[in-house]
Amino acid sequence: QQPVQSPQAVILREGEDAVINCSSSKALYSVHWYRQKHGEAPVFLMILLKGGEQKGHEKISASFNEKKQQSSLYLTASQLSYSGTYFCGTGSNTGKLIFGQGTTLQVKP
Amino acid sequence: DTAVSQTPKYLVTQMGNDKSIKCEQNLGHDTMYWYKQDSKKFLKIMFSYNNKELIINETVPNRFSPKSPDKAHLNLHINSLELGDSAVYFCASSHLLAGGVHEQFFGPGTRLTVL
């Protein structure tokens, strides 16, 4: 079952914050976040394991709420380079990732 | 450079042809994958190999056949290409982290256009 991401699209000004949510109808084993720029490959951002852990990468962090079967990606003080499509993927012990439909983020000067 | 590489980057072909996409990783990973990304950016797993053994085989037409000659290579052969096969195909590889999760990295992609 594909996880659902919200919102579908976000437009920000440089320096503003954003939150992208990823919800699953199934119990989560792990959540993987990627950013993809137009015409490029998805780039790994971080992995979260069940246990409510929060991980950080530059000014991007994420949380994992096992009870709510949800993960959220937090982008603070956004930069132009943050523009792209963000995907969450729900993982399993086989490595299989099921990706959400993506959230397009546009950061304007 | 250590990375996941794919060839070719672009592939334009006629319906009915057979084509192959090659993937190589020099990251020392044990597991490799093929994903398909359609025009709506939906990214879907197709196959996965672990140490040359097929471990994930999603509902993909049997015109698609992956082959892993060794754990550093995973190729994708497509027979009788159809218009609907037009997409970007990504290869990925992963290694196992503590906690039993796979940290996965993607290749640059192959844009396949079927005319």
Side-chain angles (χ1 to χ4, degrees):
Chain A
Q1 191 78 13
Q2 183 184 17
V4 176
Q5 291 182 229
S6 62
Q8 287 194 341
V10 184
I11 300 176
L12 298 174
R13 292 282 178 195
E14 263 188 300
E16 291 181 339
D17 302 340
V19 180
I20 300 171
N21 297 307
C22 176
S23 296
S24 174
S25 59
K26 292 173 66 173
L28 291 172
Y29 179 83
S30 62
V31 178
H32 305 232
W33 285 97
Y34 288 81
R35 175 172 60 213
Q36 184 179 29
K37 293 184 181 285
H38 182 70
E40 298 181 8
V43 172
F44 172 78
L45 292 176
M46 66 189 75
I47 293 174
L48 295 104
L49 301 175
K50 59 184 180 181
E53 297 175 48
Q54 186 150 346
K55 300 287 186 184
H57 174 80
E58 298 174 345
K59 292 181 183 175
I60 301 173
S61 61
S63 63
F64 186 122
N65 189 318
E66 189 180 352
K67 198 171 180 181
K68 290 186 179 179
Q69 295 174 183
Q70 180 178 310
S71 176
S72 296
L73 187 72
Y74 306 94
L75 300 106
T76 56
S78 58
Q79 305 167 15
L80 294 175
S81 62
Y82 286 4
S83 294
T85 301
Y86 289 78
F87 291 96
C88 71
T90 53
S92 71
N93 59 359
T94 63
K96 177 177 175 179
L97 286 180
I98 301 176
F99 285 99
Q101 80 279 21
T103 295
T104 302
L105 177 74
Q106 185 180 3
V107 181
K108 293 187 172 181
Chain B
D1 287 344
T2 53
V4 181
S5 58
Q6 294 179 228
T7 54
K9 189 165 174 62
Y10 300 97
L11 189 51
V12 181
T13 188
Q14 299 286 331
M15 271 176 54
N17 284 349
D18 303 338
K19 289 293 177 187
S20 292
I21 306 171
K22 295 187 175 182
C23 178
E24 176 181 0
Q25 55 94 5
N26 58 6
L27 297 165
H29 292 171
D30 289 333
T31 309
M32 296 184 72
Y33 311 79
W34 278 111
Y35 287 85
K36 178 180 179 181
Q37 187 170 44
D38 62 22
S39 57
K40 294 182 181 176
K41 294 189 181 176
F42 179 43
L43 194 57
K44 188 176 189 324
I45 190 165
M46 300 172 70
F47 303 102
S48 173
Y49 271 75
N50 180 275
N51 271 324
K52 302 194 296 175
E53 181 185 347
L54 181 67
I55 57 169
I56 297 172
N57 186 352
E58 294 294 294
T59 43
V60 175
N62 57 15
R63 299 181 294 103
F64 290 79
S65 52
K67 282 190 173 53
S68 181
D70 56 61
K71 75 174 193 176
H73 295 85
L74 180 61
N75 304 322
L76 183 66
H77 188 75
I78 316 169
N79 289 326
S80 304
L81 278 155
E82 300 177 358
L83 293 176
D85 297 333
S86 295
V88 181
Y89 292 84
F90 286 102
C91 176
S93 71
S94 72
H95 65 133
L96 199 57
L97 298 174
V101 292
H102 288 251
E103 187 177 21
Q104 211 167 122
F105 298 93
F106 284 78
T110 296
R111 181 173 293 277
L112 172 65
T113 304
V114 182
L115 303 174

